[in-house]
Amino acid sequence: MNSTPAIRTEALTKIYRPGLFEKPTTAVSNLDIEIPEGEVFGFIGLNGAGKTTTIKLLLDHARPTNGRALLFGEDARNPRTRARVGYLPDLPHFHQFLSAGELLDYAGKLFGLSYNVRRERSEKLLKSVGLEGHERERLRNFSRGMLQRLGLAQALINEPALVILDEPLGGLDPIGRADLREIISGLKSEGRTVFFSSHILDDAQRIADRIGIIHQGRMIACGKMDELLTKRQDWEVELEAVDGFDILKICREMEWQANLKENLFTVSVPDEEALRQVYTFASEGKIRLLSVEQRRLSLEEAFLKEVDQWRA
Amino acid sequence: MESLTRIFAVTQNTFRETVRNKILHNMLAFAVVMFGLAWIISTWSVGEPGKIITDLGLSITVLVGVIIAIFAGIVLVHGEVDRRTILPILAKPIRRWEFVLGKYLGFSGAVLLVYIGMNIILLLFLAAIGYQISTQLIKTMFISIWEVELVVALAVMFSTLTSPWLSAINTIILFVAGRFSYDIKFYLDTNPEASAGLVLKIIYLLLPNLSYFNLRHEAVHLQEIPSLQLIYASLYGLVYCAILLLIASLAFRHKDLA
Amino acid sequence: MINPTVKTGGGKRTFSFPRFTQTLYIILALAICITLLIFLRGRIEKSHAVQFDFGELLWVPDARIPHILALGDDNTAADMLWIRSIFYVGAYHGLSHEHHQHADGEPGNHHSGYGRHHREHIDKHEHVHEHDVHNQNHEIEHPKEHHRTGERDTLSFSNVDFREIPIIRNTLKGYLEEDEALHMYHLFNVITDLDPMFATPYFQGAMYLLVMAGRWEDALKLLEKGIKNRPDRWEMYYFKGFVNLFYQNDKIAAASELKRSAMQKDAPGYVVRLAATLHAGLGDLETALEFLRTLAEITEDKEMKARIEKQIEAYEMWKADRQASETL
């Protein structure tokens, strides 16, 4: 694999200054990402976290206030870098007066593709995104989902080495999502790099090799799926209190989550230190342990946890 | 070369956009109706109906061209930014100035087509009512193209800078001022000691002088139009448009897209 | 929630009538609406008549205002003002017909054959009794000297003072009030400031000023401006000659203007002939009549034509009367 990463940002910062008397807002702050070629990277964050701004900085839709973004080792401000990039915007809008075929043709021309290549690829792409037979239809008659599919097709017209998808799963029905997942894994198998943003964690979890979590313009966590999920693991302990031992009080003190169900406590123990404490109680005969189970967090829980921790 | 391909792609798409624009169709129909009206009005006159229909016809073609230029032009770039259709375009290896130039060329090409179409209709109309078509008339129609083109460039420039409403207001103000910029010169010539004369002189230099493209008086009264005047006026128009496009490109160069 | 929509969809289909009938109904409804609209308009305008004072609307301080209003398209501005001024005159034709009937001394309308009919009478040397003409005759100060030209059986007064022919003086004014005429003169000036090459307003305007108001000084000024800007138009000299002859009694000047008029490239044949006769006769009354006839021929304004023709008739009758009294 190539040593130069597909995407690399160095202290990327974007501060918007809307007006003379308005407060500047920091959309992206000191962002460092490095995505090697061939990786599928999920960029996760709440709405307004700075995902779209980051993508804009990558595509030179906006200029960074500080730091820089590199695509394949070259500054993203250079338009040449975009020759190898495919981009699907969030809620894509295209010229309503065009037909699907015309749009793909236009996109192909901007990449300087020849007529034959344009024709061949647009036919192939329309088929792969499930828009066969809509080639001559005007885009004003397209539904949200169809536009999303067409947007993907136009992003792939240049057979890009790097595909940047902004909220690709938004606006798609479950079938569309499944199709998209398939397309993305297809892109991965072809050795392309995929950078996608999402606030839908479940899908990200299924597609991405690695994810980064962005909150209020800062990257708060980044890593391989497994790392990120096991880094913050907890244990679920089922236990019974012995001789009226006030386990609930302990839980309150330690800030463990606890549920009581017919004398049976289910306690979420956040880390190994805490688990040791539980074992100590058990050895002292204050509680009786029924089961200890290491529980992996879902990405959503991990995300919320990260955000919570960051806030604190 | 690649740059030209990209510019041409944008040009072609914008041309398509403009030709499919309803404003264009409406204004074309309006022009035809106005020609009919001009003909009726000319029959009301006592004497020289040919002069009146030509005066009116030429005024109408330019005015309709200008109206199309303003009202379709002000949304040309801003609309793309606002409706975010520009995002997938600028994610391709195209430079910002290439985009602006392509937009301008495509749009002005479409407006030009309509303008020429209107003039052909007018010529047929004049021929049908038995008016002698002079070379002056053809020259005037040619030179008036630049007035329309200049307004197109103004509208495109403003549309890269600001919102449609402001663009419309600014373009209209500059268009009107451009039509009267000779008046500033006359004022300065007749009042050499005028206060703020320097400011007025600068304003006069900066404003487009659209009177250069108005040879309608000469055409109607069959005055001689020196070819050199045509060449100079055309060059003036070309250079002014280039300046406006350069400003537009410059402003658009680092504009953050919403 | 899906079912009802399906139902309504089906319902539409069952209740829909064929497309043709639908179109017919729409057209019918449109027709009804339009009729209603026309009726309503009639009603509203009956009780709510808005009178525009065209005179006020027409007042334009100077050429700057229309210049600005027309966005610098001065030619078009001139055209529009010209048409407005024609309307102005036209509006006064309509409004003042009744009022001016008596002043004209001729009741009712005239048809074009009227003049020719009278000419025949004159040729037969029949005595024409026309009370108006008689009445006016009494006011005529008869020229002191007169002689006959051999070839033509007409009166000729080589030193007749044309200003003293009262018919011309009387019938060629009174349509416009003093201030209105001033207004018109001003307006023609504005028009010709806006488009100095626009020839018609000079001579046609001068004609309006003469025929409608008898303001020959203004007419002359307008024509002189016209000659300055459009020296190529024969009409300018022709009308100037007219003013020279009938209002200034300057036969020599008139003859020279007519000559210049005849020299312009588009000058029609009758102008050339008129110039010739004027030069030869220098004050032949028949020439004056000829002048009026050409005037009637030139003008495109039907109202004006009628007025001039009426004048020719009166003039011919006056002449016949004189002729008759002379033979006696």
Side-chain angles (χ1 to χ4, degrees):
Chain A
M1 208 176 266
N2 205 319
S3 58
T4 47
I7 297 177
R8 186 183 154 85
T9 66
E10 295 167 356
L12 196 65
T13 304
K14 179 70 187 176
I15 300 167
Y16 282 109
R17 291 189 172 78
L20 209 55
F21 304 107
E22 283 165 82
K23 228 178 89 186
T25 51
T26 306
V28 175
S29 171
N30 278 311
L31 197 70
D32 293 300
I33 317 175
E34 194 169 313
I35 298 163
E37 275 193 53
E39 189 179 80
V40 177
F41 186 85
F43 199 43
I44 313 300
L46 300 170
N47 289 329
K51 290 170 296 184
T52 300
T53 304
T54 307
I55 289 173
K56 276 178 187 158
L57 295 173
L58 292 178
L59 293 166
D60 195 33
H61 285 172
R63 289 277 159 107
T65 314
N66 231 323
R68 59 177 187 159
L70 301 168
L71 300 180
F72 304 104
E74 219 172 326
D75 197 308
R77 285 179 298 185
N78 189 339
R80 199 173 42 199
T81 56
R82 296 194 287 277
R84 298 172 68 189
V85 176
Y87 165 61
L88 167 72
D90 178 20
L91 302 173
H93 286 79
F94 302 107
H95 298 108
Q96 302 226 316
F97 59 89
L98 290 177
S99 71
E102 283 170 341
L103 177 79
L104 291 183
D105 197 57
Y106 180 27
K109 273 183 200 159
L110 290 174
F111 283 111
L113 303 175
S114 72
Y115 175 76
N116 286 332
V117 174
R118 294 199 304 267
R119 270 204 59 160
E120 188 191 316
R121 286 195 192 163
S122 66
E123 207 169 296
K124 194 184 81 190
L125 283 168
L126 282 176
K127 198 170 164 187
S128 73
V129 297
L131 286 175
E132 292 163 279
H134 294 284
E135 196 186 336
R136 287 166 185 282
E137 209 172 312
R138 291 279 174 92
L139 300 188
R140 68 167 62 91
N141 302 325
F142 271 39
S143 69
R144 281 278 303 109
M146 284 162 87
L147 282 176
Q148 192 83 20
R149 286 157 185 266
L150 184 66
L152 194 66
Q154 66 83 33
L156 300 177
I157 192 95
N158 59 331
E159 301 195 325
L162 168 63
V163 187
I164 297 178
L165 310 170
D166 197 355
E167 297 281 358
L169 299 155
L172 289 179
D173 52 25
I175 299 166
R177 285 170 190 226
D179 287 350
L180 187 87
R181 278 197 293 268
E182 202 168 300
I183 289 169
I184 288 177
S185 57
L187 291 172
K188 183 182 158 61
S189 68
E190 287 166 19
R192 303 183 204 283
T193 313
V194 179
F195 179 95
F196 71 92
S197 78
S198 182
H199 65 276
I200 305 170
L201 298 147
D202 184 43
D203 288 302
Q205 202 167 1
R206 288 192 217 182
I207 307 168
D209 296 333
R210 215 154 61 96
I211 60 167
I213 296 174
I214 186 170
H215 187 72
Q216 292 186 0
R218 284 167 201 275
M219 186 77 103
I220 55 174
C222 183
K224 276 212 173 5
M225 226 47 203
D226 289 341
E227 290 171 20
L228 207 65
L229 293 182
T230 51
K231 208 164 77 184
R232 313 224 160 261
Q233 51 200 208
D234 60 359
W235 281 264
E236 203 168 71
V237 182
E238 280 185 310
L239 50 86
E240 279 176 352
V242 180
D243 299 332
F245 177 71
D246 195 355
I247 186 74
L248 276 177
K249 191 181 162 218
I250 303 283
C251 285
R252 267 199 298 278
E253 278 169 11
M254 308 295 282
E255 293 184 344
W256 299 340
Q257 281 188 316
N259 285 314
L260 178 63
K261 210 179 193 179
E262 295 169 13
N263 278 339
L264 195 74
F265 288 97
T266 313
V267 181
S268 289
V269 179
D271 48 35
E272 283 178 41
E273 188 69 28
L275 191 66
R276 209 163 288 132
Q277 189 78 46
V278 174
Y279 285 142
T280 317
F281 289 139
S283 63
E284 286 169 2
K286 290 173 179 163
I287 56 169
R288 190 182 304 128
L289 279 176
L290 298 176
S291 75
V292 174
E293 194 183 350
Q294 189 180 16
R295 192 165 63 98
R296 275 180 135 209
L297 284 151
S298 77
L299 188 55
E300 185 147 1
E301 282 168 304
F303 173 72
L304 289 173
K305 226 179 180 92
E306 293 287 353
V307 170
D308 276 346
Q309 198 177 33
W310 190 84
R311 273 188 188 139
Chain B
M1 194 57 217
E2 280 174 13
S3 182
L4 281 179
T5 322
R6 291 190 293 265
I7 293 169
F8 185 68
V10 179
T11 300
Q12 206 180 13
N13 194 55
T14 311
F15 183 83
R16 192 146 44 188
E17 175 183 4
T18 312
V19 168
R20 291 176 190 179
N21 191 332
K22 291 223 168 58
I23 293 177
L24 206 78
H25 306 159
N26 276 330
M27 289 311 295
L28 204 58
F30 174 71
V32 173
V33 170
M34 288 302 283
F35 289 153
L37 207 64
W39 178 61
I40 292 169
I41 288 173
S42 76
T43 62
W44 292 341
S45 167
V46 173
E48 298 179 63
K51 168 203 149 46
I52 288 170
I53 197 168
T54 318
D55 275 343
L56 280 173
L58 290 173
S59 294
I60 289 162
T61 52
V62 173
L63 215 61
V64 167
V66 165
I67 290 172
I68 293 173
I70 293 174
F71 287 98
I74 49 166
V75 290
L76 203 66
V77 177
H78 188 271
E80 292 243 13
V81 176
D82 202 42
R83 277 178 272 127
R84 310 201 305 156
T85 49
I86 198 173
L87 296 180
I89 307 303
L90 287 189
K92 315 269 186 287
I94 183 170
R95 293 180 182 86
R96 297 275 179 103
W97 69 265
E98 290 170 350
F99 179 76
V100 172
L101 184 62
K103 287 271 358 161
Y104 171 76
L105 290 178
F107 180 60
S108 73
V111 174
L112 203 67
L113 188 78
V114 172
Y115 179 77
I116 291 169
M118 279 192 299
N119 276 315
I120 288 171
I121 293 170
L122 179 63
L123 285 176
L124 290 175
F125 209 77
L126 288 173
I129 61 163
Y131 185 80
Q132 189 89 42
I133 287 158
S134 60
T135 48
Q136 282 96 329
L137 191 61
I138 307 290
K139 281 181 182 172
T140 301
M141 287 173 169
F142 164 74
I143 205 74
S144 298
I145 286 173
W146 286 107
E147 182 167 9
V148 178
E149 285 298 288
L150 216 144
V151 176
V152 167
L154 273 176
V156 171
M157 182 192 75
F158 281 120
S159 113
T160 57
L161 298 176
T162 172
S163 68
W165 270 110
L166 273 177
S167 298
I169 291 164
N170 288 338
T171 311
I172 290 168
I173 285 173
L174 279 184
F175 167 67
V176 172
R179 282 220 158 177
F180 294 124
S181 53
Y182 254 143
D183 294 28
I184 298 175
K185 188 174 153 53
F186 288 144
Y187 177 75
L188 284 171
D189 288 349
T190 49
N191 304 286
E193 302 296 315
S195 58
L198 187 69
V199 176
L200 280 178
K201 210 166 269 177
I202 291 167
I203 289 173
Y204 174 68
L205 283 175
L206 291 179
L207 277 179
N209 193 338
L210 298 177
S211 308
Y212 296 162
F213 313 123
N214 184 350
L215 299 180
R216 297 189 269 284
H217 180 78
E218 284 80 350
V220 168
H221 296 302
L222 300 176
Q223 303 282 287
E224 202 179 325
I225 301 169
S227 304
L228 213 58
Q229 193 185 345
L230 287 186
I231 293 167
Y232 282 144
S234 302
L235 282 176
Y236 174 82
L238 189 71
V239 171
Y240 208 101
C241 289
I243 290 169
L244 292 175
L245 287 180
L246 285 173
I247 294 172
S249 301
L250 210 64
F252 201 54
R253 219 167 105 86
H254 295 310
K255 193 184 169 94
D256 288 342
L257 304 176
Chain C
M1 278 316 285
I2 293 162
N3 273 347
T5 24
V6 170
K7 259 180 199 164
T8 33
K12 245 184 199 166
R13 218 164 293 136
T14 40
F15 284 112
S16 78
F17 26 82
R19 197 171 267 177
F20 175 72
T21 339
Q22 240 174 26
T23 317
L24 210 68
Y25 275 116
I26 291 168
I27 290 170
L28 212 74
L30 265 176
I32 291 167
C33 287
I34 290 167
T35 321
L36 206 67
L37 207 70
I38 292 166
F39 168 75
L40 286 172
R41 276 179 49 154
R43 281 274 138 160
I44 292 164
E45 281 170 15
K46 208 178 230 173
S47 58
H48 183 254
V50 179
Q51 290 285 334
F52 287 105
D53 190 340
F54 288 109
E56 284 304 309
L57 281 178
L58 204 60
W59 180 252
V60 182
D62 61 38
R64 264 175 293 181
I65 303 299
H67 167 70
I68 287 163
L69 285 178
L71 292 175
D73 263 358
D74 297 347
N75 274 21
T76 308
D79 296 348
M80 291 294 103
L81 280 178
W82 174 237
I83 282 161
R84 288 289 290 119
S85 64
I86 289 164
F87 273 20
Y88 185 80
V89 177
Y92 269 82
H93 283 305
L95 288 172
S96 13
H97 242 304
E98 247 173 287
H99 174 68
H100 287 292
Q101 257 173 19
H102 285 286
D104 290 352
E106 292 280 339
N109 295 327
H110 289 265
H111 43 90
S112 54
Y114 199 75
R116 210 163 292 141
H117 172 70
H118 273 276
R119 220 172 287 155
E120 282 165 26
H121 279 264
I122 295 159
D123 291 346
K124 285 171 191 163
H125 292 281
E126 277 179 17
H127 199 97
V128 182
H129 290 280
E130 197 77 42
H131 57 102
D132 297 287
V133 178
H134 267 296
N135 290 345
Q136 281 173 342
N137 272 352
H138 295 301
E139 296 161 20
I140 297 167
E141 198 186 307
H142 290 268
K144 306 221 162 50
E145 261 188 277
H146 41 79
H147 65 84
R148 213 180 269 267
T149 50
E151 294 121 80
R152 272 190 282 160
D153 188 21
T154 46
L155 288 173
S156 142
F157 308 102
S158 62
N159 58 348
V160 66
D161 191 341
F162 282 85
R163 288 172 301 183
E164 288 171 1
I165 301 171
I167 293 160
I168 292 170
R169 309 284 293 173
N170 288 341
T171 52
L172 289 190
K173 67 176 182 187
Y175 252 61
L176 295 174
E177 303 291 329
E178 183 93 10
D179 59 326
E180 288 167 344
L182 206 67
H183 218 131
M184 292 298 284
Y185 171 61
H186 167 76
L187 193 68
F188 296 140
N189 260 322
V190 171
I191 291 165
T192 51
D193 281 347
L194 284 167
D195 185 357
M197 304 283 289
F198 193 3
T200 313
Y202 293 114
F203 59 83
Q204 192 71 36
M207 194 149 146
Y208 282 134
L209 290 173
L210 289 173
V211 175
M212 302 281 173
R215 295 186 68 89
W216 63 270
E217 291 100 332
D218 289 345
L220 205 61
K221 271 188 249 169
L222 201 60
L223 287 168
E224 262 150 20
K225 189 177 172 190
I227 287 167
K228 206 181 96 204
N229 288 312
R230 291 301 302 265
D232 59 314
R233 293 297 292 252
W234 64 268
E235 293 98 330
M236 307 291 176
Y237 310 105
Y238 174 83
F239 283 95
K240 201 179 166 202
F242 179 81
V243 178
N244 289 153
L245 189 64
F246 287 97
Y247 289 87
Q248 294 178 304
N249 196 38
D250 190 343
K251 292 158 206 159
I252 295 167
S256 99
E257 290 300 332
L258 258 290
K259 190 182 161 198
R260 279 175 76 188
S261 176
M263 274 157 56
Q264 303 308 319
K265 69 174 196 300
D266 292 326
Y270 51 82
V271 170
V272 181
R273 281 197 299 279
L274 183 66
T277 50
L278 205 60
H279 247 303
L282 280 186
D284 190 324
L285 270 190
E286 187 60 36
T287 309
L289 194 58
E290 193 66 28
F291 212 141
L292 287 176
R293 288 199 189 108
T294 58
L295 198 64
E297 211 155 325
I298 290 161
T299 185
E300 291 171 41
D301 190 322
K302 280 179 190 148
E303 280 287 333
M304 290 272 292
K305 212 184 197 84
R307 275 180 71 74
I308 294 162
E309 273 166 1
K310 198 157 73 180
Q311 203 185 301
I312 292 168
E313 288 155 24
Y315 190 68
E316 278 173 339
M317 284 185 285
W318 175 77
K319 204 184 75 181
D321 215 34
R322 290 220 37 123
Q323 234 163 6
S325 64
E326 197 145 296
T327 40
L328 280 171

